[in-house]
Amino acid sequence: MPMMEFNRFGATPIVIFNLVIWLFFTFAYLYQMLYVLLVVARGTVRLPEARRQHRYAFFVAAHNEEAVIGNLVRSILSQDYPRELLDVFVVCDACTDDTHARAEEAGAIVWDRNDLARRGKSWALDYGFDRILNEYGDKYEAFVVMDADNLVSPSYISVMNQAFDAGYLVCTGYRNSKNFDSSWISSAYALWFLREAKFLNNARMMSGTSCAISGSGWLVSASIVRGMHGWDFHTLTEDIQFSTFCSANNVQIGYAPAEFFDEQPVTFKASWVQRMRWTKGFYEVFFSYGRDLAKGISRGQFASYDMLMTVAPGMILTLLSFFVNATYLIVGSLSHGFIATQAELDMCVGSLVMTFVSMYAVFFLLAIITTVSERAHIHARKRWRIVTNLFTFPLFMMTYIPITVAALFKKVEWVPTKHDIVVDVDDVVGDGA
């Protein structure tokens, strides 16, 4: 059809471009709204009672974590689960403080590792898993990976044991936060992880598709680790890499509402550094596993599609839309009607405005839904922070736009995150909203 015919119906190139972008986002991510509706209708997944109590090794990679490591170990060993079925292993990764002594005093088995060429959690996991398997054989049926700044609820492993006993070889838990109200940054992080647990992983579990592990608080069967002879995932986001590997190879990750508490960054600078690493890691996983996920999709595996949407750089399309509309607006305005009509220019302005308005509206709605649904799990002394977070959470999420661009070009390396929120589980839950 000639261009004149397109123009008669208002179907100019810029209109078609914006329509295609809108349709793509709508249909690509519509399933996540269906997840929300599923959770609203059915609540939290119910796991069958475990037939027996399994033996677990908790694993913690720690770099200069003397302030927080003791409370984590004590929270693990004081759970409502037989003590003889739990051990805690801490690998002090190039530590220069008293992490070793603090962890040992709390009851952990502690090893020192000083490989400065291969620092970071993934390498500590590889070292620790390999050593446990060599020195303890088949003693443990599964490993539970925690970060040094975490705390676990008294029922954590009992609930996780239900999922493992049901046959899931990899399981993720309910990630809460121990410093929701430290700043608007920590509140945003906390809400995102609550949403991830309840409205993504919980919904995936109820739908019969695979979940994704994230950061810490996850379990992996010893049989999987034994098959790898350690840990073979060393991108900047080894958790997402492993989740993607599972999806591509049809290993279903389960979800258990086993609550643990994570320390969130407080400053925007610390958040920027951490999320830059995450975004760069997502790029690594996307370009490494994109083809495998596409094959999984071709075989009808919805988990592969779900994971592809998780790791795909969707913000790039948002930026592309902004750039195209802004360029068309500027060039069209300078052409004085030769290239673009006034109606097209007005449409470009509307598209630019709606791009950000719609993003804000979507994240605002997710903030309200998550806050209302998970209000019993939000622990904050500053109760006003829960309300203000509804409005600042969308702004936090929109700062991923410049991060997405910067991560394309910037060299990113693993750097340790400082943890200094020294509380125990009673301190956290005692501040309930």
Side-chain angles (χ1 to χ4, degrees), residues 159-174:
V159 178
M160 191 64 80
N161 183 65
Q162 292 178 305
F164 181 64
D165 189 73
Y168 291 95
L169 299 180
V170 184
C171 307
T172 188
Y174 182 93

Side-chain angles (χ1 to χ4, degrees), residues 53-60 70-89 106 143-146 150-162 173-174 217-219 256-261 425-426:
Q53 294 172 313
H54 299 267
R55 184 182 295 273
Y56 300 101
F58 278 76
F59 180 86
V60 185
N71 282 345
L72 167 62
V73 175
R74 282 186 286 271
S75 72
I76 293 172
L77 297 179
S78 62
Q79 292 180 92
D80 55 6
Y81 199 81
R83 172 64 182 84
E84 65 274 13
L85 297 181
L86 298 177
D87 285 312
V88 183
F89 292 85
F143 301 102
V144 181
V145 177
M146 308 300 302
N150 295 160
L151 297 168
V152 298
S153 66
S155 63
Y156 174 86
I157 198 60
S158 294
V159 178
M160 191 64 80
N161 183 65
Q162 292 178 305
Y174 182 93
W218 49 272
L219 173 151
E259 188 173 29
F260 69 100
F261 302 91
V425 174
D426 289 337

Side-chain angles (χ1 to χ4, degrees), residues 26-296:
T26 299
F27 288 103
Y29 295 99
L30 178 63
Y31 76 97
Q32 292 194 9
M33 184 55 66
L34 299 179
Y35 277 168
V36 171
L37 297 177
L38 177 64
V39 173
V40 170
R42 297 179 55 184
T44 302
V45 66
R46 295 186 180 182
L47 297 168
E49 289 298 321
R51 292 161 295 181
R52 70 184 185 89
Q53 294 172 313
H54 299 267
R55 184 182 295 273
Y56 300 101
F58 278 76
F59 180 86
V60 185
H63 173 73
N64 290 346
E65 302 282 10
E66 63 179 2
V68 295
I69 190 66
N71 282 345
L72 167 62
V73 175
R74 282 186 286 271
S75 72
I76 293 172
L77 297 179
S78 62
Q79 292 180 92
D80 55 6
Y81 199 81
R83 172 64 182 84
E84 65 274 13
L85 297 181
L86 298 177
D87 285 312
V88 183
F89 292 85
V90 175
V91 169
C92 295
D93 195 27
C95 290
T96 57
D97 65 356
D98 288 333
T99 298
H100 186 120
R102 297 290 180 269
E104 208 163 51
E105 288 169 2
I109 299 165
V110 187
W111 296 324
D112 292 313
R113 176 181 178 273
N114 293 289
D115 186 344
L116 299 181
R118 297 185 298 179
R119 290 175 57 196
K121 181 178 177 179
S122 69
W123 294 107
L125 281 166
D126 188 36
Y127 169 86
F129 284 163
D130 189 59
R131 185 165 173 178
I132 293 171
L133 291 174
N134 287 335
E135 297 183 16
Y136 291 84
D138 297 330
K139 180 178 180 181
Y140 304 106
E141 297 170 77
F143 301 102
V144 181
V145 177
M146 308 300 302
D147 285 343
D149 58 290
N150 295 160
L151 297 168
V152 298
S153 66
S155 63
Y156 174 86
I157 198 60
S158 294
V159 178
M160 191 64 80
N161 183 65
Q162 292 178 305
F164 181 64
D165 189 73
Y168 291 95
L169 299 180
V170 184
C171 307
T172 188
Y174 182 93
R175 187 174 183 177
N176 204 339
S177 299
K178 65 181 187 181
N179 63 321
F180 183 98
D181 59 356
S182 292
S183 71
W184 74 278
I185 295 292
S186 65
S187 297
Y189 268 94
L191 195 67
W192 174 261
F193 289 130
L194 290 176
R195 181 248 175 187
E196 180 182 68
K198 186 63 174 285
F199 292 99
L200 288 180
N201 284 328
N202 176 55
R204 289 165 175 154
M205 186 72 163
M206 289 191 290
S207 302
T209 189
S210 187
C211 304
I213 65 169
S214 173
S216 58
W218 49 272
L219 173 151
V220 57
S221 170
S223 62
I224 290 180
V225 177
R226 191 177 297 110
M228 295 187 295
H229 304 286
W231 187 252
D232 197 28
F233 303 95
H234 300 291
T235 63
L236 290 168
T237 49
E238 76 286 334
D239 50 354
I240 296 300
Q241 184 186 6
F242 180 56
S243 297
T244 306
F245 170 83
C246 289
S247 293
N249 290 277
N250 209 23
V251 176
Q252 187 172 355
I253 300 175
Y255 167 76
E259 188 173 29
F260 69 100
F261 302 91
D262 190 28
E263 180 178 330
Q264 309 306 337
V266 174
T267 67
F268 186 80
K269 180 179 179 180
S271 169
W272 179 277
V273 171
Q274 185 182 67
R275 289 186 292 149
M276 181 72 72
R277 175 175 63 83
W278 289 352
T279 303
K280 192 72 170 184
F282 272 51
Y283 283 138
E284 292 176 342
V285 172
F286 176 73
F287 291 116
S288 297
Y289 289 89
R291 182 177 298 178
D292 293 334
L293 292 173
K295 289 180 180 178

